[in-house]
Amino acid sequence: MIRRSYLALAGLLMMASAAGAERFPGGVTDPLYQAECGSCHVAYPPELLPARSWEALLAGLDHHFGVDAGLDGPTLSRLRDLLVHHAGRADPHAGPVRLRITQTRWFQREHQELPRHVWRSPKVGSPANCGACHRGADEGDYDEQRVSLPR
Amino acid sequence: MNGTFKPLAAAVLLALPGWAGAEPPADLIRAYAAAAREASPGFAGFSAQRGQAWFAATHGGEWSCASCHTHDPRQTGRHARTGKPIAPLAPAANAERFTWPDKVEKWFRRNCNDVLGRACTVQEKGDVLAYLMGLK
């Protein structure tokens, strides 16, 4: 009986932590981050990449995935503080520094059940377009209940 | 290119009273005109027609301004890489546009690099602003 309660409790805790992992309130709503990093793409939750990835991205903003996203020094410095402060833990098995969230094992695991036609939908366009399905992406809310796949 | 761009940018900065605050787009285009006159004494004004053609041209590269902002800048655009919607560029559809000179300069700097592979001249900036501000 006691063992069963423990199992139930452990199950509940796991569910709670899994659900919690879908919301990333740290840093996403910062007005400077929204303005500077949320114009061309969703302001990605800082938690989704480790600090070393953010550092590498910020060091190359003049050639940011083929686009000039250069910033002035003071803005860059403030954003570095924000991103590093809220950064996720580094995956010890990750190997070289990853610059794309889509390359992380977490992203791939979370999206593995998604049918291929969703990615090909013109309404999605790119896996960088989180907001195409995640209605709360701008607020860092990736809860499954707010997912709405484009038709 | 940097050598010519920096004095121009400085001239625009100096010509703008209250650079850090919101200004009507008409003030911005006047400042660009002042900078253009200083850069070239033969300056004959900005042309919305030239701006429109320039906006639609790819300038030898992959993208034009219209790649993200569409050929009707009163419509919502879409980032060519990420698919994220971009609010309309024409002030007729989006009153916020061109009211913050430092923001305008930042996006000209980035987007001119992306589309033309160089900084835009003050003539080009003024022409395209004349086009966008003239849309009803």
Side-chain angles (χ1 to χ4, degrees), chain A residues 44 49-65 76 80 83 97-101:
Chain A
Y44 301 119
L49 286 175
R52 61 178 190 164
S53 295
W54 290 121
E55 294 275 11
L57 279 163
L58 292 176
L61 283 182
D62 289 351
H63 303 281
H64 186 63
F65 302 111
L76 192 61
R80 179 180 291 114
L83 288 164
V97 178
R98 289 187 168 142
L99 300 182
R100 291 177 190 272
I101 293 165

Side-chain angles (χ1 to χ4, degrees), chain B residues 60-131:
Chain B
E62 184 193 350
W63 288 339
S64 69
C65 306
S67 302
C68 294
H69 297 293
T70 83
H71 285 279
D72 181 356
R74 291 165 297 191
Q75 304 293 317
T76 295
R78 196 165 190 234
H79 196 279
R81 274 284 154 79
T82 69
K84 178 161 172 136
I86 300 173
L89 199 52
N94 180 1
E96 282 273 296
R97 289 297 187 191
F98 315 128
T99 55
W100 294 92
D102 49 356
K103 190 174 172 184
V104 176
E105 277 294 303
K106 179 180 81 178
W107 283 104
F108 267 134
R109 175 172 56 74
R110 290 172 166 182
N111 294 353
C112 292
N113 262 338
D114 292 337
V115 173
L116 297 101
R118 61 167 172 81
C120 292
T121 65
V122 72
Q123 178 80 54
E124 289 168 331
K125 292 180 193 178
D127 285 345
V128 83
L129 276 186
Y131 160 56

Side-chain angles (χ1 to χ4, degrees), chain A:
Chain A
M1 184 63 190
I2 290 173
R3 182 176 291 175
R4 206 189 293 169
S5 311
Y6 265 126
L7 280 175
L9 181 64
L12 274 174
L13 282 173
M14 275 171 69
M15 279 165 66
S17 67
E22 309 302 331
R23 292 198 191 92
F24 308 96
V28 155
T29 53
D30 181 277
L32 185 72
Y33 185 54
Q34 278 287 343
E36 299 300 342
C37 304
S39 298
C40 298
H41 54 66
V42 167
Y44 301 119
E47 291 90 336
L48 298 186
L49 286 175
R52 61 178 190 164
S53 295
W54 290 121
E55 294 275 11
L57 279 163
L58 292 176
L61 283 182
D62 289 351
H63 303 281
H64 186 63
F65 302 111
V67 173
D68 183 349
L71 288 170
D72 63 71
T75 307
L76 192 61
S77 167
R78 267 207 55 199
L79 291 174
R80 179 180 291 114
D81 290 348
L82 178 105
L83 288 164
V84 168
H85 180 76
H86 293 287
R89 246 183 302 168
D91 178 350
H93 310 293
V97 178
R98 289 187 168 142
L99 300 182
R100 291 177 190 272
I101 293 165
T102 49
Q103 291 169 334
T104 64
R105 295 199 298 182
W106 173 84
F107 181 94
Q108 288 165 5
R109 192 176 60 234
E110 292 290 326
H111 296 88
Q112 65 187 357
E113 287 168 15
L114 207 58
R116 222 173 282 168
H117 72 83
V118 173
W119 294 118
R120 283 200 293 255
S121 159
K123 287 180 183 162
V124 175
S126 154
N129 190 11
C130 309
C133 304
H134 295 276
R135 301 297 171 200
D138 279 337
E139 305 107 64
D141 182 356
Y142 290 79
D143 194 293
E144 229 167 279
Q145 289 182 340
R146 289 187 72 186
V147 169
S148 155
L149 298 182
R151 289 167 195 277

Side-chain angles (χ1 to χ4, degrees), chain B residues 2-47:
Chain B
N2 269 346
T4 56
F5 178 65
K6 274 179 187 158
L8 279 184
V12 171
L13 273 164
L14 288 173
L16 283 169
W19 171 260
E23 300 280 343
D27 284 6
L28 179 63
I29 203 163
R30 261 198 296 275
Y32 279 136
R37 213 168 290 123
E38 196 171 310
S40 110
F43 172 66
F46 296 129
S47 152

